[in-house]
Amino acid sequence: MQYKYDKKYQQKLEEILDFVKAHKLDPKETLFVPVDQESIFYVAANYFPIALPHWSRGKGVISLRNQHQRGAHIYEVVFNSTPAIAYMSNRSNDAETEQVIAHVFGHSHIYKHNIYEYNDDAILDLVRRALEIYEEKMQYYSPEELDIIVDTVNAFWNLIDYSEEMQNLKEEKDPVTLYDQSSRKKFEKFKNIKSPVKTFKDEYLEQVKKQQKKQQGYGEVNILKYILENSPIEPWLKELIEIELRMLRDVMKKSHIKILHEGFASWIDKKYMLEKMHDFNFMHAMIMDSRVSYVDLNNPYWFGYMLLSFAEQEGKDIPEYVKTIDDAELIAENFTEEFLSFLLKTIGEDTAPDNYDEYVEHLEELKADLIGKTLHYKPRIFIDSYSETALEQLDYELLKVNNYSINKKLKLTSLDPLDQIYASTTLKILEKIWMGPIILRYPKTSK
């Protein structure tokens, strides 16, 4: 563990490390780096220590800068590299820095042990390689043209579901069999019917059809992989898109454990504040805590901390508990009527919301809503084959893009209704990578 450029904080870091270990934390090796506020904005907007340039990331920096000018403050940004890197705001005072160090060790414990965390030590080097290629290509392409790299990945990340559950789509489309093959043979024997013997030609044609379906990608749900494998775009562009997708996948895995992350980091930093900080330092730590852990079910710092505090009261070993759960499980196991009573006792009846009784009365609905926010729904889309003029299209909306003719036509089907404007914008982005016409059908919404 190292605090760069500051021997005073290095000594304090070692003391805090001893403290968190005494509370059963086992944090990953972590490097603490003090940086100016602009650097904090940069790494926070990029989701990563380094990233390919894109207009949306510049917009993110401007947004964070404006929030800072209105009073918001980012104390740290932590990344799960090896070692983990914590960028610390050099504008924090001593008390704030101490508490943030304890907070970072909470994140670092999750990085090392939580089963839902990503573990990708190669990604930082891959992004560096992508940046080198990007800078070389800037001699030949404008920033607007190179924006297609991040545009493509963002479009797929928000639209396409890569989960293994989608692999069942092909089975869902097959006709339902009312009897198994053994029953069929018995019936045919009873009727004195001989099953036709497949000739070599029949078997050959069957294999050819299977091979054609595989080549056409029918039933494939990892559409981006299929497009990159079969697109005529240059290899360097495919490589940069693949690296960007891998980086975003790693970073976005945190979205399923954000409440757990911030809740556990707050759980240990509050213990440090209450047990180790006094007088002036304690007062400043309390002020920072009030800025970050304000009472709101939508605030992951406060909500996660309260869920874990309740679980601790119920006898859970919290550093062990956080190793095997995600946000949905944390809420499902702890958001009970007893938890609401625990909240009321903690925040005090005077500050409780006026509609507290409604929370209790509609506990299950509220719980389902909170869990639903942790699950990032994506439509079920796959590569398909169908006639554009068939009568079955009456049950579908059809979207087409047809500005490129270098590649063959790609047909997609969604099992879910889609927002037409968003879907159309997405197809226009994908078409630039596919370099051929794309058709997307999705069910009509009932009126």
Side-chain angles (χ1 to χ4, degrees), residues 113-155:
H113 296 287
N114 184 271
I115 61 175
Y116 297 101
E117 256 296 348
Y118 73 89
N119 185 16
D120 190 350
D121 291 340
I123 186 60
L124 201 54
D125 289 337
L126 285 172
V127 176
R128 288 195 184 100
R129 170 174 168 74
L131 273 170
E132 290 174 2
I133 297 172
Y134 185 97
E135 289 170 3
E136 178 193 336
K137 296 303 177 183
M138 283 188 71
Q139 302 175 60
Y140 313 104
Y141 301 93
S142 68
E144 289 75 20
E145 288 174 307
L146 291 172
D147 275 350
I148 190 61
I149 299 163
V150 179
D151 285 342
T152 300
V153 174
N154 286 344

Side-chain angles (χ1 to χ4, degrees), residues 1-16:
M1 308 291 179
Q2 184 182 2
Y3 201 103
K4 298 277 285 185
Y5 318 124
D6 197 314
K7 292 182 180 179
K8 177 185 69 175
Y9 283 142
Q10 178 64 35
Q11 182 180 349
K12 183 57 68 175
L13 182 153
E14 291 167 6
E15 294 173 10
I16 297 170

Side-chain angles (χ1 to χ4, degrees), residues 41-57:
F41 298 152
Y42 174 82
V43 294
N46 283 337
Y47 307 121
F48 211 62
I50 54 174
L52 293 180
H54 189 255
W55 65 267
S56 63
R57 287 163 183 168

Side-chain angles (χ1 to χ4, degrees), residues 204-222:
Y204 173 76
L205 290 174
E206 190 175 302
Q207 289 300 318
V208 167
K209 286 181 181 179
K210 284 183 180 179
Q211 189 63 28
Q212 285 177 340
K213 284 187 175 183
K214 185 176 180 181
Q215 289 175 349
Q216 297 296 325
Y218 296 157
E220 177 64 63
V221 297
N222 194 334

Side-chain angles (χ1 to χ4, degrees), residues 87-358:
Y87 293 97
M88 308 283 285
S89 171
N90 61 11
R91 296 188 60 180
S92 299
N93 60 40
D94 288 350
E96 292 168 344
T97 301
E98 281 187 42
Q99 193 175 1
V100 172
I101 289 173
H103 188 90
V104 168
F105 279 136
H107 287 305
S108 191
H109 178 84
I110 297 279
Y111 288 154
K112 186 173 182 179
H113 296 287
N114 184 271
I115 61 175
Y116 297 101
E117 256 296 348
Y118 73 89
N119 185 16
D120 190 350
D121 291 340
I123 186 60
L124 201 54
D125 289 337
L126 285 172
V127 176
R128 288 195 184 100
R129 170 174 168 74
L131 273 170
E132 290 174 2
I133 297 172
Y134 185 97
E135 289 170 3
E136 178 193 336
K137 296 303 177 183
M138 283 188 71
Q139 302 175 60
Y140 313 104
Y141 301 93
S142 68
E144 289 75 20
E145 288 174 307
L146 291 172
D147 275 350
I148 190 61
I149 299 163
V150 179
D151 285 342
T152 300
V153 174
N154 286 344
F156 269 89
W157 183 261
N158 292 323
L159 188 64
I160 308 301
D161 189 340
Y162 298 103
S163 67
E164 292 181 358
E165 297 169 7
M166 287 291 292
Q167 300 301 331
N168 296 324
L169 282 172
K170 290 177 85 173
E171 284 74 20
E172 289 177 14
K173 295 183 69 186
D174 288 341
V176 177
T177 303
L178 300 178
Y179 43 81
D180 60 24
Q181 289 300 314
S182 61
S183 298
R184 180 187 181 93
K185 288 177 181 177
K186 289 178 183 177
F187 176 75
E188 289 176 347
K189 185 177 181 181
F190 173 76
K191 294 285 289 182
N192 198 25
I193 299 173
K194 291 184 179 180
S195 299
V197 178
K198 285 185 180 179
T199 65
F200 173 80
K201 181 179 178 181
D202 293 333
E203 291 181 351
Y204 173 76
L205 290 174
E206 190 175 302
Q207 289 300 318
V208 167
K209 286 181 181 179
K210 284 183 180 179
Q211 189 63 28
Q212 285 177 340
K213 284 187 175 183
K214 185 176 180 181
Q215 289 175 349
Q216 297 296 325
Y218 296 157
E220 177 64 63
V221 297
N222 194 334
I223 300 170
L224 181 53
K225 179 182 177 184
Y226 178 81
I227 285 179
L228 291 178
E229 287 177 351
N230 295 277
S231 167
I233 60 173
E234 295 183 65
W236 67 266
L237 184 54
K238 293 182 182 182
E239 182 180 3
L240 264 57
I241 291 172
E242 287 172 339
I243 293 173
E244 178 68 20
L245 178 65
R246 181 166 167 177
M247 187 272 284
L248 189 60
R249 275 179 170 172
D250 285 351
V251 172
M252 293 306 288
K253 280 184 181 179
K254 287 184 182 178
S255 62
H256 296 282
I257 50 174
K258 182 174 179 58
I259 297 171
L260 183 75
H261 247 297
E262 300 300 354
F264 182 67
S266 299
W267 178 84
I268 191 61
D269 81 43
K270 281 185 172 60
K271 286 190 182 296
Y272 179 79
M273 178 182 73
L274 293 171
E275 296 178 32
K276 291 294 185 178
M277 303 185 81
H278 309 284
D279 304 325
F280 179 83
N281 280 356
F282 179 77
M283 181 183 70
H284 271 277
M286 284 290 290
I287 292 171
M288 183 183 77
D289 187 71
S290 66
R291 288 177 180 171
V292 175
S293 294
Y294 53 87
V295 177
D296 190 330
L297 291 178
N298 294 311
N299 178 4
Y301 297 85
W302 179 80
F303 186 39
Y305 167 72
M306 295 307 298
L307 287 166
L308 290 172
S309 297
F310 174 72
E312 184 179 28
Q313 178 183 276
E314 296 295 297
K316 291 277 198 313
D317 180 342
I318 300 305
E320 281 296 317
Y321 182 52
V322 299
K323 293 179 181 181
T324 56
I325 59 171
D326 61 6
D327 288 349
E329 292 171 279
L330 179 64
I331 296 169
E333 291 181 12
N334 295 288
F335 197 85
T336 61
E337 192 169 336
E338 291 76 18
F339 171 72
L340 290 182
S341 299
F342 172 78
L343 283 188
L344 187 64
K345 189 184 297 182
T346 304
I347 64 178
E349 293 189 16
D350 293 338
T351 57
D354 295 333
N355 57 345
Y356 171 80
D357 291 338
E358 292 182 23

